Amino acid sequence: MERKARKQAKKAKKKGGDGNEESKQQQTGKGKTEDKEGQEESSKPKKTVKVDKTEKDVKKETNKSNKTVKVDKVKPAPTPSTSVPNKKEENKKKTPKEPVQEKQQQTQGSEVGGDEADGATGGKSKAELKRERREKQEAQRLAKMAAKTKAVEEKQPKKKVESQADKKSSTVDKKKKGSGDAGKSGKEKSGDKKSTKRRIPLLGHLTPPALQAPHAPVNSEIIHPAVRTLGIKMKDRVIDGSTARVISTLVALKKLINDYQTPESCDLSRDLAEKLAPNVEYLNACRPQAVAMDNAIRFLKHKVNSIAPNMPEGQAKDELRTAIEDYIKENITLASSAIASHAAYLMQPNDVILTFGYSGLVCEMVEAACKNGNIVNVVVADSPQPPSGLAMVQRLASLQVPTYYRLITDITNVMDKVTKVVVEAEAVMMNGAIQGLCGTTSLALAAATYHKPFIVLCHTYKFCNNDLTDSIVVNELGDADKVVWGPKGSNAGLLAGWQETRNLNVVSLVYDVTPASLVTVLVTEQSVLPTSAVPVIIRRNYADVLGQD
Amino acid sequence: MAPPTKQDFINKLRLEKFESEQSKAEESLALLEHIVANASWQTGSELLTLLRNVDIEVSAKLPWETTPRNMVQRALKIVVDEYSSCVGGVSAMNTSGHHTFPQVTMDPTGGVELPKCDQALPDLRDRVLEALAEYRAELEQSDELIAVQGESKIHNDEVILTFDWCGLVLAFLTRAAKKRHFHVIVAEGAPTYQGHRMAESLSRVGIQTTLIQDCAVFPMMSRVNKVIIGTRTVLSNGGIKTDLGAAALASAAKFYCVPLYVCTPTYKFSRISGEEVNHCGSGSAIIPINTPLPSSVNVAVSKFDYVPPENVTSFITNNRGIAPSYVYRHLSELYDPAAYHV
């Protein structure tokens, strides 16, 4: 109905009494199209039709051109795909379409078109005949294209029908089962196009982990082999932890830059940026990027963009390589030792430190503290899946530090003996919130409850421009099967059939966000800061790189 | 069936052969009934002493098992009440004479003095047995009475968080699910992982369930409307002592101002006041198989967690909801003030 009104309004603007007759015909035509075509398909041609109409209006074309538009719509009624070639025709042609109209009428023959054809055959010139021939050829060529696109488009309406059906069924399910926070989960469920993988209520915006790496042939021109192997390693969690992932990503991209050769007549900066993009996407598809990785890649892109166009290739590549190496050295290696020494300064003899999981920075801090002569005791809290704390405990024990290993649910029983809680962050948000591995917030809350300082260690390159208030908005889903098979004894694998069961979901979150109010201090390589200083650092150091996101 | 003896009962407790607190309560009641019915006693005082010996033995060997001790306390109160109603007005009072307004007082000497019930009354035995039978009926109905309150507590489209296995909470939610549609998130409850069992049972009943890890409790708490858990013991200060993970759950609920309800029948209300007794389990429960740890590392797992009363919103019991600050008063209705052995 809206479309009719819009079209009528446009017709009303045009001159000539013919417009009225045609408008009636148009209405009938529209009526038929609306009956015959699917809603979504017809919206497409109509949009392009409007564009074309305005162009034609500008060029003062006759009303007959409008008829051709209608004809195009009417004819494709049985098979929506044919509207595609017609659209393309319209897009390409900016000249009057009387001959096209005639040909289409002749070839396809609709009821409405027939009437108009009689009026249009009179008064053609040679130029118009030529145009006719040309357009005939085009029509034949486009018909071939249509045959190809037909196959594609037949799938599309099916998918859309399915997704609509799925949306309906999911809403029905919700009414029956009633997922909590129906408003939020409802939006999330109906918002995303439902794929065959199911979404978890309340976390519908998070994609389940990739089971297989996206397809890329070994000798692909687009995905560098180093990037490909890295992607698979990250997907399988062989390389884990933001620092390791950043270093390995930059190393792989360095290899890519090494092997890169500028093609003829191309700007190195633009072309390299284009070549980098699919590689980065590939890594993202293997495993969603960590914030730290995102920042590092942004830095690299910024560097690539800033290469002068007339710089020789060898020099440019050298510059990029040294830039990467310097980045790693400054922001990771040297920064880590600076953070460790700052944090070790905060330690006192016989401190009992509570930490979570495996953290390279905390280990370095303990080492530095031991060198200073302050022997600290460390309690490692660990979540059962994944048990990264075991590696931590082994490393600490080799440092001759008294170590205790506890489950994360058990920390309230040790809190009265703990003096400080120290963790490493995966990322720091602009509002001071800390993103860490899932479980860090339990430590933060226990520290607040028992009035112990909660110290966070973080490199500045992990600061990011997001502001997060809760842990669900931005997160990653881990492997739920590890949770199902985690328990020992009779409870192992009890929920093994959870994917088939409609009522049951198993969730493993990777990250969580600690609110800034629970954090006492943030230790960075620059200094020991309160969380309110985070936006200052971002602005000072990374404004150009991080941009206005 | 062999007559229940104290020794058998204590052994069974020690070897953790009971399925749930409910079965412990029932068996301890059976033991007490047996003592009342068959042991040789003449006066009320002798009976009281006999019953209290059970309490003393259990507390000496397994101090964290509060349910049997609570049953004994209840039985003592029943005996004292029956005695006083038998005698008709001449009540068995302590020297302090606080019969009209019983208050829970911790006798520093250890509460050795039991109320004096010296008269030998012939029908005391029958009356006590009758009262105990009534109490047994109440015990068996407690599940049902608590579950019925589910409909009023849970509303449509809510997200409920629970953790670990609790039969009472399962009954509570199942009952509510018949009329309401809501979503339950279950924390898995390491190291026992009973949360898996809970999630499976809930999903079988048709409730939309999600299982999460314990470390994810705080992140998910921002979306939760209510927390409903069970407990092992309710302490006299209004706090609870329950399985590992409850304290983190309760702190998170407090942070997000989410109400925390505890489903508990009356036999879990105990007179111990703090978390002083914490039993440790084997550390091998938390180390994955085939992962050698250096021997210098101290590994341990506690068995219980303490939740302070300020984190608990309300206790859902047989009769009604009880606020944590009222628990001390409720205890004085349940148990006799003098009959407590520290």
Side-chain angles (χ1 to χ4, degrees):
Chain A
M1 285 307 160
E2 293 176 356
R3 286 181 226 124
K4 271 188 185 175
R6 272 184 243 135
K7 285 206 170 163
Q8 284 171 14
K10 280 195 177 171
K11 299 299 174 196
K13 287 180 197 168
K14 284 172 190 168
K15 303 162 192 174
D18 292 342
N20 291 330
E21 292 174 359
E22 287 159 359
S23 64
K24 288 176 198 167
Q25 289 165 343
Q26 285 168 4
Q27 282 175 29
T28 50
K30 278 177 224 156
K32 283 170 193 165
T33 55
E34 277 171 359
D35 293 336
K36 289 174 188 173
E37 292 185 359
Q39 292 177 356
E40 299 195 37
E41 290 300 310
S42 57
S43 66
K44 286 181 196 170
K46 283 180 184 169
K47 282 179 192 167
T48 54
V49 158
K50 285 170 206 163
V51 168
D52 285 340
K53 276 183 194 168
T54 52
E55 286 171 354
K56 286 165 197 166
D57 288 344
V58 166
K59 291 169 188 173
K60 291 181 185 174
E61 289 175 10
T62 61
N63 293 331
K64 290 175 186 175
S65 60
N66 298 329
K67 288 182 209 170
T68 62
V69 164
K70 279 178 290 166
V71 168
D72 293 341
K73 271 184 281 166
V74 171
K75 280 162 195 174
T79 50
S81 55
T82 49
S83 64
V84 173
N86 294 327
K87 266 188 278 169
K88 290 180 185 170
E89 286 181 328
E90 289 163 17
N91 285 334
K92 286 172 189 170
K93 297 170 211 161
K94 301 201 173 174
T95 53
K97 294 188 183 177
E98 303 148 15
V100 174
Q101 165 206 351
E102 283 186 343
K103 279 167 210 159
Q104 287 174 343
Q105 287 163 6
Q106 286 161 17
T107 52
Q108 301 180 24
S110 71
E111 308 153 354
V112 179
D115 295 331
E116 294 166 17
D118 295 333
T121 40
K124 273 195 256 175
S125 67
K126 281 185 185 174
E128 285 173 349
L129 282 166
K130 280 186 189 173
R131 252 182 263 132
E132 267 188 69
R133 263 178 264 135
R134 249 187 280 130
E135 281 149 359
K136 199 177 182 181
Q137 287 169 356
E138 280 232 52
Q140 285 169 353
R141 184 174 67 81
L142 289 165
K144 278 187 193 173
M145 294 273 293
K148 286 181 196 171
T149 52
K150 202 181 182 182
V152 173
E153 284 211 71
E154 275 176 0
K155 285 180 199 171
Q156 279 182 5
K158 280 179 198 170
K159 271 188 190 173
K160 273 156 199 165
V161 167
E162 273 178 20
S163 66
Q164 281 176 355
D166 279 346
K167 283 174 201 174
K168 282 178 200 165
S169 65
S170 69
T171 48
V172 166
D173 277 352
K174 267 179 274 148
K175 280 171 199 164
K176 282 182 188 171
K177 312 284 177 185
S179 59
D181 259 359
K184 286 181 196 171
S185 59
K187 283 175 203 164
E188 283 161 3
K189 262 192 178 173
S190 56
D192 47 313
K193 305 224 165 156
K194 187 133 185 185
S195 56
T196 46
K197 274 188 179 172
R198 62 188 248 176
R199 305 281 173 147
I200 296 171
L202 299 179
L203 301 172
H205 57 289
L206 301 176
T207 47
L211 292 170
Q212 291 168 347
H215 177 71
V218 176
N219 286 326
S220 159
E221 298 233 334
I222 308 173
I223 311 286
H224 192 273
V227 170
R228 189 160 175 273
T229 38
L230 177 64
I232 296 176
K233 281 185 187 171
M234 289 215 283
K235 176 184 80 69
D236 290 335
R237 303 287 202 274
V238 172
I239 294 184
D240 206 1
S242 57
T243 315
R245 284 166 75 187
V246 167
I247 296 179
S248 44
T249 310
L250 288 177
V251 164
L253 292 178
K254 198 165 77 166
K255 282 190 193 157
L256 188 153
I257 292 175
N258 255 345
D259 295 340
Y260 170 75
Q261 283 177 354
T262 326
E264 298 280 331
S265 71
C266 269
D267 240 353
L268 179 132
S269 60
R270 276 205 210 113
D271 191 51
L272 183 55
E274 275 176 27
K275 291 269 166 25
L276 277 177
N279 286 287
V280 169
E281 266 177 49
Y282 179 81
L283 289 177
N284 203 4
C286 289
R287 189 176 161 188
Q289 269 180 3
V291 169
M293 277 173 66
D294 198 35
N295 286 353
I297 291 170
R298 237 184 255 256
F299 154 80
L300 184 60
K301 282 186 183 165
H302 181 75
K303 223 36 195 149
V304 166
N305 281 338
S306 64
I307 290 194
N310 52 4
M311 198 186 282
E313 187 183 319
Q315 189 185 351
K317 281 163 77 167
D318 265 340
E319 216 178 274
L320 287 175
R321 274 196 295 265
T322 36
I324 291 180
E325 283 162 14
D326 284 344
Y327 187 85
I328 295 180
K329 192 169 155 204
E330 268 179 40
N331 285 317
I332 302 179
T333 322
L334 291 177
S336 298
S337 36
I339 292 173
S341 62
H342 280 141
Y345 189 69
L346 295 172
M347 297 296 126
Q348 287 169 350
N350 294 326
D351 252 349
V352 180
I353 297 175
L354 176 64
T355 183
F356 180 69
Y358 183 83
S359 159
L361 272 182
V362 175
C363 284
E364 286 192 34
M365 178 196 83
V366 171
E367 253 185 87
C370 289
K371 279 191 191 141
N372 288 348
N374 296 333
I375 303 293
V376 294
N377 306 322
V378 182
V379 181
V380 178
D382 197 17
S383 82
Q385 290 298 337
S388 53
L390 294 170
M392 179 76 163
V393 157
Q394 282 168 339
R395 188 165 162 189
L396 286 172
S398 66
L399 290 174
Q400 316 289 323
V401 165
T403 324
Y404 301 80
Y405 182 75
R406 294 285 184 274
L407 214 53
I408 185 114
T409 40
D410 205 2
I411 50 176
T412 46
N413 292 316
V414 290
M415 280 314 288
D416 49 351
K417 302 221 174 62
V418 163
T419 54
K420 293 184 173 65
V421 184
V422 182
V423 294
E424 182 181 348
E426 294 276 314
V428 179
M429 303 297 143
M430 187 182 63
N431 60 342
I434 307 291
Q435 186 185 55
L437 290 177
C438 193
T440 325
T441 41
S442 308
L443 264 74
L445 202 52
T449 317
Y450 287 84
H451 310 293
K452 314 284 179 186
F454 184 69
I455 301 169
V456 177
L457 312 177
C458 193
H459 305 99
T460 43
Y461 82 93
K462 291 183 189 167
F463 285 18
C464 97
N465 247 342
N466 254 342
D467 59 335
L468 293 182
T469 47
D470 73 3
S471 323
I472 297 188
V473 174
V474 171
N475 211 322
E476 191 187 326
L477 283 183
D479 193 359
D481 284 331
K482 292 230 170 85
V483 178
V484 169
W485 293 101
K488 300 177 194 174
S490 59
N491 287 327
L494 205 59
L495 305 176
W498 72 273
Q499 291 203 328
E500 287 83 47
T501 323
R502 220 155 43 143
N503 286 339
L504 192 54
N505 301 295
V506 179
V507 167
S508 162
L509 287 177
V510 175
Y511 300 120
D512 68 12
V513 172
T514 315
S517 55
L518 294 177
V519 179
T520 316
V521 279
L522 197 54
V523 179
T524 64
E525 68 266 22
Q526 304 197 0
S527 67
V528 176
L529 307 164
T531 51
S532 49
V534 171
V536 174
I537 301 238
I538 292 179
R539 193 162 180 282
R540 192 152 46 107
N541 295 350
Y542 299 105
D544 48 353
V545 174
L546 290 183
Q548 292 295 316
D549 284 77
Chain B
M1 228 176 67
T5 63
K6 244 189 311 187
Q7 210 45 52
D8 288 341
F9 181 65
I10 291 178
N11 285 339
K12 211 169 163 187
L13 274 181
R14 193 197 298 247
L15 297 172
E16 295 181 3
K17 286 203 176 151
F18 287 102
E19 290 174 359
S20 65
E21 299 292 317
Q22 176 85 356
S23 44
K24 279 183 206 169
E26 284 170 3
E27 263 210 47
S28 48
L29 191 58
L31 176 65
L32 296 172
E33 279 176 338
H34 177 77
I35 292 176
V36 171
N38 301 335
S40 57
W41 52 273
Q42 297 298 322
T43 63
S45 291
E46 284 174 24
L47 177 58
L48 288 175
T49 322
L50 277 175
L51 291 176
R52 210 182 56 178
N53 286 340
V54 178
D55 185 12
I56 294 172
E57 270 201 56
V58 171
S59 69
K61 292 179 182 168
L62 303 159
W64 57 88
E65 294 288 355
T66 48
T67 308
R69 300 178 64 187
N70 297 342
M71 301 304 288
V72 171
Q73 295 290 319
R74 192 87 181 96
L76 290 174
K77 168 101 168 144
I78 287 174
V79 170
V80 169
D81 282 347
E82 290 300 324
Y83 182 86
S84 47
S85 64
C86 266
V87 170
V90 179
S91 44
M93 284 196 297
N94 253 359
T95 45
S96 48
H98 51 261
H99 188 258
T100 44
F101 287 106
Q103 287 169 16
V104 174
T105 51
M106 283 286 281
D107 193 335
T109 59
V112 176
E113 281 194 38
L114 285 170
K116 296 197 170 137
C117 316
D118 286 333
Q119 292 187 36
L121 300 165
D123 50 349
L124 183 61
R125 195 183 289 252
D126 291 332
R127 293 183 69 153
V128 169
L129 281 175
E130 221 179 276
L132 284 177
E134 265 180 44
Y135 185 51
R136 172 179 280 278
E138 192 192 311
L139 201 69
E140 282 159 9
Q141 279 179 9
S142 57
D143 259 14
E144 181 61 28
L145 291 170
I146 290 175
V148 158
Q149 299 178 46
E151 289 165 13
S152 59
K153 286 280 185 298
I154 300 178
H155 308 289
N156 260 331
D157 296 337
E158 280 196 331
V159 180
I160 313 279
L161 180 67
T162 183
F163 100 113
D164 233 10
W165 167 270
C166 177
L168 262 183
V169 174
L170 181 62
F172 189 83
L173 295 173
T174 314
R175 197 55 182 271
K178 288 184 184 153
K179 287 202 176 161
R180 312 266 189 247
H181 308 295
F182 51 92
H183 186 144
V184 177
I185 300 181
V186 184
E188 63 176 0
T192 52
Y193 298 103
Q194 295 281 47
H196 290 240
R197 208 173 131 208
M198 183 71 150
E200 203 220 347
S201 318
L202 283 170
S203 69
R204 236 188 288 141
V205 175
I207 300 176
Q208 183 82 353
T209 321
T210 303
L211 180 81
I212 59 169
Q213 297 190 288
D214 303 302
C215 39
V217 159
F218 189 94
M220 297 302 284
M221 189 62 75
S222 55
R223 298 286 194 268
V224 168
N225 297 113
K226 289 188 170 74
V227 181
I228 300 181
I229 61 177
T231 177
R232 187 181 278 263
T233 312
V234 178
L235 303 171
S236 63
N237 65 350
I240 63 174
K241 191 160 143 191
T242 180
D243 297 318
L244 273 198
L249 198 82
S251 303
K254 186 83 180 174
F255 186 84
Y256 280 106
C257 300
V258 172
L260 180 98
Y261 295 105
V262 181
C263 287
T264 153
T266 48
Y267 60 81
K268 287 187 184 168
F269 282 79
S270 153
R271 288 173 80 163
I272 61 176
S273 67
E275 71 270 34
E276 65 276 311
V277 176
N278 206 341
H279 184 51
C280 277
S282 159
S284 64
I286 54 175
I287 304 177
I289 311 167
N290 299 330
T291 321
L293 279 189
S295 54
S296 58
V297 177
N298 178 316
V299 180
V301 173
S302 315
K303 265 213 154 168
F304 305 127
D305 228 354
Y306 167 68
V307 177
E310 47 268 11
N311 289 352
V312 178
T313 311
S314 146
F315 293 98
I316 301 174
T317 63
N318 307 12
N319 323 325
R320 59 192 185 278
I322 296 181
S325 48
Y326 183 71
V327 169
Y328 82 96
R329 192 76 179 76
H330 190 63
L331 285 178
S332 64
E333 289 169 18
L334 289 176
Y335 308 129
D336 192 271
Y340 184 57
H341 168 79
V342 173

